[in-house]
Amino acid sequence: MTATRGSVAPRGADRHYRYLLGDSRREAARLRAQARLWDPTARALFDRLGVRRGWKVLEIGPGQGSLHMDLRRRVKGPVDAVERSPAFAARLRLLCARDGLGPGRIWETDLLDAPLPRGLYDLVFARWVFLFLPNPEVHLRKLARSLRPGGLMAIEDYHRETFALVPRPPEWTNFLAADRAFFASQGGDVSVGGRLPDLYGKAGLRLVEIVPTIKVGRPDSAVWTWLSTYFLGVLDRYAQLPPFTKSQAARLRRLWLRAAGRTTSLMIAPAVLDVVGRKPRTDRRGPLS
Ligand SMILES: C[S@@+](CC[C@H](N)C(=O)[O-])C[C@H]1O[C@@H](n2cnc3c(N)ncnc32)[C@H](O)[C@@H]1O
């Protein structure tokens, strides 16, 4: 748990949130490799949104910062961030000191504890953060307040239901249940992407677009490596989550590694949804801008 002193968390928000993946050097390297595969999808999203010079942008959970640096180049100036990992925040400060675009505000804290300005941002962006968060509606409402009227919320997150290894191992159903249970253990939802459109409505945002990306890969592809690195890395932790068992996890690992040696194997990745919403320019009391 992070500091709760002066917390702005509304009653009912879970204050015992623990970030499941940590900020070890190994996890940092995994995030950088994952970003290399997925940054083009995010850049296409930024292109569609028309992010440009002068925009005020806030990124939640920039991690290793590749998209943060891209956003800075697009707005030709600093971008703000909330990043709870001290190691990741320190790296971000270093990267930002090098491009000559000036320091952004980096709140090194849990999103719920960040004293965000109200009505300021043209864009709030987060990739792969919401799946970890308990009570995403509370987080979304907070972020919506930080948007200016007409400002955009853009979140990229998973809709896990497409995930398949072909041919399908017998342990797959229990493995997927363990994947869900792992994130749920801290109040998160590994398939939060598909819930975001409804949650946007509850946070007072109008839906602009939902764009899915489903990557598919054969052994030796970047997609296969990306998925194997993560899932084989957490398999022992998943084995603690019934109905998945240690012996099922061991069998699945063997089948997974065997599948990697067959050119006919196929991995269909969890879908990533780009979900974009806009804060209305008017509310019930009349025009805001
Ligand atoms: C899976 S990583 C994704 C990093 C990056 N967005 C990317 O796409 O590569 C999740 C990131 O969100 C940060 N994070 C998780 N929960 C957070 C919270 N409640 N407040 C702020 N940052 C958070 C983590 O420290 C980590 O940097």
Side-chain angles (χ1 to χ4, degrees), residues 14 17 131-136 182-189:
D14 189 338
Y17 168 68
L131 76 162
F132 296 97
L133 302 179
N135 209 338
F182 182 64
F183 287 85
S185 71
Q186 295 303 312
D189 178 354

Side-chain angles (χ1 to χ4, degrees), residues 2 17-23 27 30-32 34-35 38-39 59-67 82-86 88-89 107-113 125-134 139 156 158:
T2 53
Y17 168 68
R18 181 171 61 87
Y19 179 61
L20 283 160
L21 300 183
D23 58 4
E27 171 62 4
R30 188 191 71 80
L31 287 177
R32 286 195 295 276
Q34 178 174 249
W38 277 96
D39 281 4
E59 185 182 10
I60 310 304
Q64 293 298 284
S66 58
L67 293 176
V82 184
E83 173 52 70
R84 75 197 301 276
S85 154
F88 292 177
W107 289 283
E108 193 181 302
T109 177
D110 247 39
L111 171 53
L112 284 183
D113 295 326
F125 171 71
R127 180 176 69 179
W128 299 320
V129 179
F130 267 75
L131 76 162
F132 296 97
L133 302 179
H139 288 81
E156 296 189 299
Y158 289 116

